[in-house]
Amino acid sequence: MILLSVIELLKKLVEIPSISPLDLGCQNIIGEILVSLGFKVEKILINKTSNLWAEHGKGKTFTFLGHTDVVPPGNIKNWNSNPFSLRISNNYVFGRGVVDMKGSIAAMIVAVRDFIFRYPFYKGRITFLITSDEESTGTDGTVKIVEKLIQRKEKIDFCLVGEPTSEFILGDVIKNGRRGSLSAQLIIYGVQGHIAYPHLFDNPIHKSILILQNLIKYDWKDKNEFFPSTQLQIYKINSSTNANNVIPGELKIEFNVRFNPKTTVSKIKSIISFLLDSSNLKYKLNWKQFSNPFYSKPCKLIPIVEKSINSIQKISTQVSTSGGTSDGRFFSNMNSEIVELGLINKTIHQCNERTSISDLKALVLIYKKIICNLFI
Ligand SMILES: [Zn+2]
C-alpha cells in the first residue's frame, strides 16, 4: 500500500462511493499509509462524519486539509463510465471525486511519502485533517476537529486546502480567502381573497416588488482590493397558490447574501431589518445558516506556494478570494496562514468529472516542493 502511485491510490479512493457525509473506508486506506510512514493517526467519528487527524515530526506545523466525501453522481446515463470506478483514457482519469477532491488527497499523500523518504529528519511537523462532510452540512467535520485542536492548544502555522482552485492551467489560481454566506427566509403577509375584487384584499406579491428591488440594489459600499462588494441574491419566491382567481395571503421569499469580511453578519441583519421596517410591510424574517468569511494575509506560505508552482509549472499565479465557501474558514480561528491549491475545477460536481494524469503528477511535485521550501 505504501508504494502505490498517485493513480493507483486515486483508483482505490474513487472505487468507494463515499457520498457526503459518508466516508465508507477511504480514511482507512489513507490512515494505513500514514501509519506506515510513521504518522500518529487518530480517527474521530462525529455522528455520521468520519474525520482523520494525523501528525508526524516536531516544530512549525503544516496541515493538509481535505475531504473524502463526494457529491452524488447525478444522472448515471450521462456518464460514459461507472462514476465509482476509475476510467483511464488518453492521459485523463474519470470518476466522481477525481478532482473534488480525492485526486488532491492522493497527491498530498504521495508527496508527503516521497518527501519523508527523501528527508526523514526534516525540521517541522506535517499534519493531515481529512473530513467527510464538506459537501453536505459541514457541521461534524473540520469545524468540530478545529474546536478540539484549539482545546488541546495545538498551534497550526500553515494550512493548505486541496480544493480545486485552478481554472485553465494547474496552479494558475490559488485562494487565500472566501466570502461569507448568509441565508434567510422572508414571509410577506397580505390578505387572501377573490382576484376580481382586489380593492377588498391585499396582494403580498404587489407589495413586495419595491422592497425586493431595494434589497437587491442596496449598495453595501464594502468593496476593497481583496473582495467584491457584498451581494444579495433571491433564489426562491413562492405564494403557494395555483388558482388564477385567488390573491394569495402570503409570499415566501428565500435569499442568500455573499458577504465581504468588512461587513459582519450582525450588520447585514440590522440593515435588512431596517429596510424591511421602513417599508410598512407585515413580515416575518427567519435567518438561516451562515458561513463566516476568511482572509489570510500573504506572509510566508503564500509566496512559497507561488514559487513552488512556478518551479514546476513555469507560470505565475493569481491569488484570489472568489468562489463559494470552503473549510479553510474554520482554520482562521487558529490564526493559521491558509492557502487553497488544487486541480482544474472545470468538471467538478458534473458528470464525467475528470483530470489529466499529467496534472495529477505535477500536483504531487508542487505539494512536495511546498513542504521542501518550508522545512528544508
Ligand atoms: Zn471539495
Side-chain angles (χ1 to χ4, degrees), residues 52-155:
L52 177 145
W53 169 254
E55 52 184 88
H56 183 279
K58 270 199 171 61
K60 288 252 181 210
T61 300
F62 173 89
T63 299
F64 277 112
L65 177 62
H67 61 87
T68 48
D69 57 316
V70 295
V71 294
N75 190 345
I76 301 280
K77 284 186 196 144
N78 293 334
W79 283 79
N80 295 331
S81 52
N82 178 356
F84 297 110
S85 138
L86 192 75
R87 178 163 69 95
I88 303 178
S89 169
N90 291 332
N91 185 38
Y92 274 84
V93 286
F94 297 76
R96 175 54 84 228
V98 292
V99 181
D100 189 6
M101 56 175 282
K102 291 176 172 177
S104 300
I105 291 181
M108 292 168 181
I109 303 283
V110 171
V112 167
R113 177 195 67 196
D114 294 352
F115 173 78
I116 291 178
F117 282 174
R118 174 76 179 78
Y119 303 105
F121 304 110
Y122 69 96
K123 285 198 176 64
R125 186 166 76 131
I126 299 172
T127 69
F128 280 86
L129 198 178
I130 308 291
T131 184
S132 72
D133 75 346
E134 200 275 344
E135 300 287 11
S136 45
T137 57
T139 49
D140 295 322
T142 309
V143 62
K144 293 275 167 64
I145 306 304
V146 167
E147 278 169 18
K148 272 186 199 294
L149 296 175
I150 291 173
Q151 277 169 13
R152 287 188 203 169
K153 303 207 183 331
E154 278 277 0
K155 176 149 175 43

Side-chain angles (χ1 to χ4, degrees), residues 23 68 77 101 234 250 308 355:
D23 167 75
T68 48
K77 284 186 196 144
M101 56 175 282
I234 296 168
E250 61 181 45
S308 307
T355 175

